[in-house]
Amino acid sequence: MRRVLITAGGSGIGRAMAESFAGAGFQVWVTDVSAVALADVPEGWRTTAVDATDEAGVRELFAEIAETWGGLDVLCANAGIAGPTALIEDIALEDWRKCVSVNLEGCFLAAKYAAPLMKAAKAGAIIVTSSTAGQYGYPNRAPYCSAKWAVIGLMKTLAMELGPFGIRANVICPGAVEGPRMEGVLEREAAAKGMTRDEVYAGYAAGTSMGRFVEASDIANMAVFLGSDAARLVSGQVIAVDGHTENPDPKV
């Protein structure tokens, strides 16, 4: 049985990842900042309620993983928040810091404490969730885009540092993903741009070659591939699952 840890695995993309890894025969451990989000996970999954930016809590989590499992094969550093939707001059520093902290520092801390476990085994895979916002940028989303670009740089560094130990690191960049989190983004962006929610939705879809949003399961399927032996020499890569973004900010 292989072992995977998924941060922010209580809902959304993280929950889809956990279900897909479980279906592939992995032992699954999920974290979430909210214990409520972990209340309905399937029997057999291990769970920990922890803030991804709390170093003491993350350190304790990995100590428990080492004691319980004896190691870790795959880390999905998936914790993130959408952050504010506003013009740069209207973004409060506190909101900037919170968004960057969760999206970037959360990945850093997970990788920091996963690395020693994987180095000891001379094997492992780290999968970081970024975004197409980390490839193109989007107006009114400065904190989120900045953090999602930054995690790509973090992943590239991890691939270089850890590759000699047989450890791979890759980034998945989801496009617009159907679900409650994206609905919040659509509503906030509509308000910021003076558009309707449906107009913003149509714009996101029209900006892709395939003309549609993606599902959380599409991201999860890619994560399982990257965590598997089928991807044994795939490292340092930025892989978009987005229906091919042609225009990140279509004016429709």
Side-chain angles (χ1 to χ4, degrees), residues 93-249:
L93 180 58
E94 179 182 357
D95 293 335
W96 168 280
R97 285 175 172 166
K98 181 178 180 181
C99 182
V100 172
S101 177
V102 174
N103 287 289
L104 178 56
E105 292 177 13
C107 288
F108 158 70
L109 287 174
K112 175 180 178 177
Y113 288 100
L117 297 182
M118 293 181 177
K119 280 184 175 182
K122 291 185 168 48
I126 296 174
I127 302 161
V128 176
T129 304
S130 179
S131 167
T132 50
Q135 296 179 293
Y136 303 103
Y138 290 97
N140 304 295
R141 302 292 304 284
Y144 183 77
C145 293
S146 298
K148 291 303 188 181
W149 277 68
V151 298
I152 292 175
L154 172 61
M155 176 279 294
K156 292 284 189 178
T157 301
L158 293 174
M160 293 175 182
E161 284 188 13
L162 302 177
F165 298 91
I167 302 164
R168 301 179 293 107
N170 293 285
V171 155
I172 300 175
C173 289
V177 181
E178 296 279 8
R181 178 170 160 180
M182 191 63 198
E183 284 300 321
V185 171
L186 293 172
E187 294 291 348
R188 291 190 295 273
E189 189 163 330
K193 292 183 173 180
M195 300 168 65
T196 68
R197 175 265 181 207
D198 289 347
E199 286 172 335
V200 177
Y201 184 101
Y204 272 103
T208 70
S209 299
M210 299 185 76
R212 55 166 297 176
F213 279 36
V214 299
E215 304 287 342
S217 59
D218 297 313
I219 314 305
N221 290 339
M222 179 58 70
V224 172
F225 166 70
L226 291 173
S228 74
D229 291 338
R232 66 190 185 92
L233 291 178
V234 180
S235 190
Q237 302 305 305
V238 179
I239 302 172
V241 181
D242 64 343
H244 183 230
T245 299
E246 294 182 12
N247 183 352
D249 185 39

Side-chain angles (χ1 to χ4, degrees), residues 81-92:
I81 59 173
T85 301
L87 297 170
I88 190 71
E89 62 265 33
D90 296 327
I91 296 173

